[in-house]
Amino acid sequence: MRYAIPLVVLGVLLTFFAVGLRHDPRILPSPLIGKAAPAFSLPVLEFPQPEATATPPLKSNADFLGKPLLVNFFASWCAGCQVEHPFLMSLAKAGAVTIVGVDYKDADADVRQWLGSRGNPYAPVLADLDGRTGIDWGVYGVPETFVISASGQVLHKHVGALTPEAWERDIKPLLAAAP
Amino acid sequence: MSLLRSLCLLLLVAAFGAQGQVTVEKPAIELTVEQEARLAELLPDLRCLVCQNESLAESRAPLALDLKYEVRSLVAQGKSATEIKHYLTDRYGDFVLFRPPFDPRTWLLWIGPFALVLLGLLVLVRQIRSTRRAAVRAATTAKPADPAALKKLLDE
């Protein structure tokens, strides 16, 4: 009885430590979850490269309603994007989900070369040259992947390279549940 | 601090790669002296999300520069500090603020330490009272010593 209170306090502290140590401070919860995806209007990166004079068509939220998607912020200069790229390719090949790529603060030529040599899992690639759309979506370090419902709601955000584990655990069930 | 900064820079290089990220030249935003002062007051309260222990005022991370530019343009548009903080928390969450807001989710954070001190004081006061009471009780209820037993003890 004498030791009951210190033991309880110790237990509480240990629980806090256990939870705290597992928590990665670099992964921040997104305030966008459950809300409508932030509005965007971005030029499409067309393949093959069109005439230099042609203005690329713009795409916005409305163009992607009707089916769930992944919106993947990536860049050719980003290391984590190289890591997740093969997995995104396998998702695209299997036709598991539509992946919209947002090329974040990247030079046109760089991303064309990058996707040209590695394959393009995106349908389509949108170019966020100045990073404004990234700010509106709360992107603080590529790669970041958002799960968007058919009605345009943000269901989930994954920070860092997308792994098969994260896909199976967090994203696949969401896509299966959302009509 | 300089060690921290260089570590942070190293991390940045690792995260963003030394080359490649495009910086778009944006038009400079002219502010009045009063607006500059408001901006200078606001920036230290905002966190750089890449170098998490630096404020937007200190950080030179690309994202921090972008956000600084956004905040600057919001100040130029005449937005209040509250509106600007809302603009940022709508996108990045409360984490972007160095001083979290006082709401049901942060009650424990704000009140917790004071509650703990209060609890400690209460326990202390109870402890002191009960020892004092025990001492008083012992003094008033003590039986007078048995002379025979005392003598026996002294003889030993």
Side-chain angles (χ1 to χ4, degrees), chain A residues 141-152:
Chain A
V142 281
E144 291 186 15
T145 307
F146 293 83
V147 183
I148 308 295
S149 76
S151 60

Side-chain angles (χ1 to χ4, degrees), chain A residues 142-179:
Chain A
V142 281
E144 291 186 15
T145 307
F146 293 83
V147 183
I148 308 295
S149 76
S151 60
Q153 275 209 328
V154 181
L155 299 178
H156 178 73
K157 173 182 179 178
H158 180 85
V159 178
L162 188 63
T163 57
E165 294 76 40
W167 162 261
E168 290 290 336
R169 188 187 59 226
D170 303 327
I171 299 179
K172 214 171 154 189
L174 278 179
L175 293 175

Side-chain angles (χ1 to χ4, degrees), chain A residues 85-111:
Chain A
H85 186 268
F87 181 60
L88 293 184
M89 283 304 286
S90 73
L91 283 182
K93 251 182 217 143
V97 66
T98 304
I99 310 173
V100 173
V102 180
D103 185 26
Y104 179 76
K105 296 180 82 171
D106 206 355
D108 218 68
D110 289 353
V111 72

Side-chain angles (χ1 to χ4, degrees), chain B residues 2-25:
Chain B
S2 75
L3 180 72
L4 226 164
R5 191 160 288 176
S6 46
L7 267 176
C8 217
L9 272 176
L10 206 78
L11 235 151
L12 259 181
V13 170
F16 285 103
Q19 34 80 41
Q21 184 161 350
V22 169
T23 340
V24 178
E25 279 301 321

Side-chain angles (χ1 to χ4, degrees), chain B residues 103-121:
Chain B
D103 63 25
R105 285 177 310 121
T106 55
W107 280 347
L108 190 66
L109 180 72
W110 280 103
I111 306 176
F114 300 105
L116 269 182
V117 168
L118 210 69
L119 191 77
L121 276 178

Side-chain angles (χ1 to χ4, degrees), chain B residues 133-151:
Chain B
R133 219 175 294 133
V136 169
R137 200 180 306 127
T140 51
T141 59
K143 285 180 195 145
D146 180 3
L150 264 180
K151 188 161 185 338

